[in-house]
Structures are given as structure tokens and as C-alpha cells.
Amino acid sequence: MKRFTLAAGALAVYAATGLASAYAAGPDIKIALIAGKTGILETYAKETETGFMMGLEYLTGGKMEINGRKIKVIVKDDQSKPDLARTLLAEAYGDDKADIAVGTSNSGAALAMLPVAAEYKKILVVEPAVADSITGDKWNRYIFRTARSSMQESISAATTFKNGSIGFLAQDYAFGKDTVKAFKEALGVVGSKAKVVAEEYASPATTDFTAPAQRLFDKLKDAPQPRVLSIVWAGPHPMNKIAEMHPERYGISIAPNGNILPVLKTWKNYAGTEGTIFYYYDFPKNKMNDWFVAEHRKRFKSPPDMFSAGGFAAASAVVTALTKSGGDTNTEKLIKTMEGMDFETPKGKMNFRAQDHQAMQSMYHFRIKKAQKDEWDLLELVREIPASELPVPVKNKK
């Protein structure tokens, strides 16, 4: 009888302690991850999800919890459709009771989500959409962006142009138009004497680039040297098709934006071609990136890609903010924590600029390698362009 009583007492104490611990830890932290997992940006979305989950794993030591609160990730596919993205974010905040949301792949879809974050007064970490208006005139105080902006990409690219003539082939939606607009402004920011003399916009579904490319050639061929055709494209990339039209006969070289590894692999015949990129697995040298590259190779037989790194960066922003807040998911406390916050990523340190919540970050000037040791040994680093050399103007209405 005594034994039973002691056991029961011990059990009661254990149960009370366990309940107290569970109560102290609080409910699960719910994070909604919205991405265009079907459609033209499917690869980008899948990479973002992979990087986000690996980032949470690394940053929580595999526990997937912060201050004893378990992390629950709710993944939703917006198919890169603005109306669906808006609906899914409202569902995440309302029905799923998500504390924070992350997304999305398409700039048009991301822009549709911004007012929803303001309506529900919940934080939205934008990754990987790049349109400048996201942290510009369409911004609200609940928006933080770990993704690079069009202006960050444009200023980094503009630093590689000293003079000459530039033509653009870009996609006919927010991403392409914002990037070209930003690049024109960026030339002035860096003091370049180069001029944009031609622009062509095509549907993201375009497969035949003969007509727009020829129009660009015609406008560039008599312009001052050096003559460069810059390609701004998400999804299946047209560089090879443009190169097959031999722009060099007009004294025109191609300058592509960085792209995902499967696309970069198709550029092997253009060794020496230069461009800029926001992440290539072999460029950053830090402990976090070392783990990311090694673990990604182990699991997927390939190094991490650009959007995988972006997903990891978004995870770092979320974990850093929640850790600093002591696991408190109160929106106002998180905003106060995140404004001006430094956080580590596979690229190195980023900082959320207080004025518009844009993550300030380094970029990279690359050259396609001539001697490639294996299928992933594709680029060599010309120069890391630090955030301090990317004076991105503040364009919101805070």
C-alpha cells in the first residue's frame, strides 16, 4: 500500500511537472510557407522549401523547436497565381492560425499577398520574389524581405559596366520590368557611362526568341562599344537560343544574370562570359555554408542552389527573430526585434534595414569557367560585392 501511494505521489508530481513544462513551453509555432510548387517556377519553389527546412534543422540543432515550442511548417502551393496566393495567405493566417508566413516564388503573387499581411497584422517574410515595389510603394510594416531586390541585383550588375551600350531581353511581368527599370537607375547610382539603348519584353512562356532577339541586334549593332545584350529571365533560360543566333557578328556579347545550377550547366560553351549572381555554393566561406553544401551533397547528390540558399536565409531570419524574442510570436514584438536585426545566412551576415525591412546582403561577380573539374564546377569568383557597395535607395512610404 505504501509503495502504491509513493508511486502515485511520484506520478502526480511528474504529471504536474510535465504539465507545467508543457504550459510554459506554449503551443506550436506555426509557420506558413507559400511557394509556386507547380507551374513555371516549380524548381525555384522546391529549392526554397528544401533550403527552408534545412535551415530550420541547422539553426535549431535538429530539435525543430524554439524555447521549448515546437515548430510546425504548413506548406501551400500558390501555383504562381496572384489570386490563389492571396487566398492561401488569408487561409494560413485565419484558419491555420499561422504566426508567421514566408513566400512566395513569383513577384506578382507576392505583391498580391502584401495587403493580406497588413489585414491580419501578421509578418510575411518575402522569399524569393524580387520586385522592387515589394519593399517600395506596395510595402507595409509587416513585410520583411530576405530575398534580394531587383535594385540590389541591378546595382551589382551595373558595377560591371563602365561604358558602352546595353540591350535587355526580359520577361513581360513585374520581375522583368522592375529589373530593367532598376538597372537604368542603378547605372546612375554607380556613376556608369553605359546606356540602355534597347528593351524587349516577352511572355514567360516564349520558346521562339528569333524576333525579339533580332530587334535587339538591329538596335545594338551601330551603338557605341562595348555592346552587351543582358538577359533577365526566370525559368527555362533563352541564353543558348540567343547565342545560336551569333550576336558576336554584330560585336554583341551576352551578359546573363545568374541562374540555377541546371541552367548554368548548359552554358559551358560560353567560358569567359561574365555576370552577377546572388549565390553560388562555392563562393561564400563560412561554417554555415560549409555545413549546407556538405549536407546537401550528402542528401541530394548535388550542391545547394540559389533558391535553396534563399530558403535557408528566410529560416535564419525567422529563427533569429523568435530566439531574440524568447519564443514570443507577438507581431509587434517581432517587428521591433527584426527592424535593424543582423542574422547569419549561407551567404554570410544579412541585416534588415529598418526603413523598409529589405535584407542588405552581398552579391557576386562571376565568370564562367574554362576548365571545369566536374558537372557542378561551373563558375569562378571575380569579386564579392559587399552590401556596403550596394546603395539601394529607400522607396517606401514609411
Side-chain angles (χ1 to χ4, degrees):
M1 190 70 171
K2 289 183 179 178
R3 287 182 183 176
F4 176 78
T5 304
L6 286 171
L11 183 61
V13 170
Y14 174 80
T17 304
L19 286 171
S21 297
Y23 180 79
D28 292 347
I29 295 171
K30 295 182 180 179
I31 305 169
L33 176 63
I34 301 174
K37 295 183 66 174
T38 53
I40 195 169
L41 301 181
E42 175 183 349
T43 301
Y44 296 5
K46 289 181 176 178
E47 287 187 4
T48 301
E49 183 179 354
T50 295
F52 188 74
M53 297 308 294
M54 290 183 71
L56 291 179
E57 177 187 347
Y58 176 86
L59 293 157
T60 63
K63 294 181 179 180
M64 297 298 281
E65 64 179 42
I66 299 171
N67 264 40
R69 295 180 64 182
K70 293 292 184 183
I71 298 171
K72 181 180 180 181
V73 180
I74 305 162
V75 181
K76 297 177 181 288
D77 176 16
D78 66 15
Q79 302 173 36
S80 292
K81 297 177 180 178
D83 287 347
L84 182 55
R86 183 187 302 113
T87 299
L88 291 178
L89 185 60
E91 179 185 276
Y93 289 142
D95 299 341
D96 300 324
K97 307 300 181 186
D99 299 295
I100 297 173
V102 177
T104 183
S105 313
N106 176 280
S107 285
L111 286 165
M113 292 163 66
L114 306 189
V116 180
E119 178 186 350
Y120 283 86
K121 294 181 169 55
K122 294 285 187 178
I123 286 173
L124 170 63
V125 177
V126 176
E127 177 65 49
V130 302
D132 279 331
S133 49
I134 291 169
T135 43
D137 63 328
K138 305 299 183 187
W139 176 86
N140 63 67
R141 65 191 295 268
Y142 302 98
I143 307 305
F144 288 80
R145 176 159 56 183
T146 50
R148 80 287 184 210
S149 68
S150 290
M151 182 56 81
Q152 283 173 311
E153 284 199 315
S154 295
I155 294 176
S156 66
T159 64
T160 70
F161 291 90
K162 303 302 180 187
N163 48 45
S165 307
I166 305 163
F168 271 99
L169 173 64
Q171 286 170 313
D172 193 13
Y173 78 106
F175 163 64
K177 291 182 176 179
D178 262 27
T179 300
V180 176
K181 179 182 177 182
F183 184 83
K184 290 179 180 178
E185 183 177 347
L187 289 173
V189 170
V190 302
S192 172
K193 295 180 180 179
K195 295 185 180 299
V196 176
V197 300
E199 302 167 42
E200 287 287 333
Y201 298 92
S203 164
T206 301
T207 57
D208 184 355
F209 295 90
T210 305
Q214 191 58 56
R215 287 194 292 270
L216 286 165
F217 294 168
D218 290 343
K219 291 177 181 177
L220 278 167
K221 65 183 181 181
D222 296 320
Q225 288 275 23
R227 302 172 190 138
V228 178
L229 195 167
S230 183
I231 303 172
V232 179
W233 209 264
H237 203 276
M239 182 167 129
N240 288 332
K241 292 182 178 180
I242 304 298
E244 288 169 1
M245 296 177 66
H246 301 289
E248 68 275 7
R249 61 198 161 112
Y250 301 111
I252 300 169
S253 61
I254 298 176
N257 276 11
N259 215 297
I260 56 176
L261 293 172
V263 172
L264 294 179
K265 286 172 64 174
T266 70
W267 296 354
K268 288 186 177 182
N269 293 333
Y270 310 107
T273 299
E274 296 185 11
T276 51
I277 195 168
F278 69 89
Y279 175 83
Y280 176 68
Y281 72 94
D282 195 44
F283 290 169
K285 305 299 179 186
N286 60 69
K287 183 179 178 181
M288 184 179 288
N289 194 57
D290 290 346
W291 178 90
F292 191 31
V293 172
E295 198 62 29
H296 199 283
R297 282 186 180 274
K298 185 189 302 181
R299 299 181 191 185
F300 305 105
K301 311 305 178 188
S302 65
D305 215 336
M306 296 197 302
F307 297 100
S308 309
F312 199 122
S316 180
V318 170
V319 172
T320 302
L322 288 169
T323 301
K324 286 179 176 291
S325 73
D328 191 337
T329 55
N330 176 270
T331 298
E332 291 303 318
K333 186 169 184 177
L334 287 174
I335 290 173
K336 185 177 181 180
T337 299
M338 294 171 74
E339 287 189 338
M341 182 182 81
D342 291 337
F343 55 103
E344 296 297 332
T345 79
K347 290 177 61 173
K349 185 177 291 184
M350 291 188 188
N351 171 272
F352 279 131
R353 186 165 59 177
Q355 297 96 316
D356 59 2
H357 304 175
Q358 174 61 50
M360 308 309 290
Q361 56 195 280
S362 296
M363 304 288 281
Y364 305 95
H365 180 184
F366 71 82
R367 182 182 299 115
I368 298 175
K369 282 188 173 183
K370 294 181 180 178
Q372 299 178 356
K373 298 175 185 177
D374 57 49
E375 64 175 326
W376 305 118
D377 183 32
L378 306 168
L379 307 179
E380 60 184 1
L381 180 64
V382 176
R383 186 174 81 94
E384 179 175 347
I385 307 167
S388 60
E389 293 183 19
L390 301 172
V392 180
V394 176
K395 293 191 173 182
N396 63 5
K397 298 176 181 178
K398 184 176 179 181

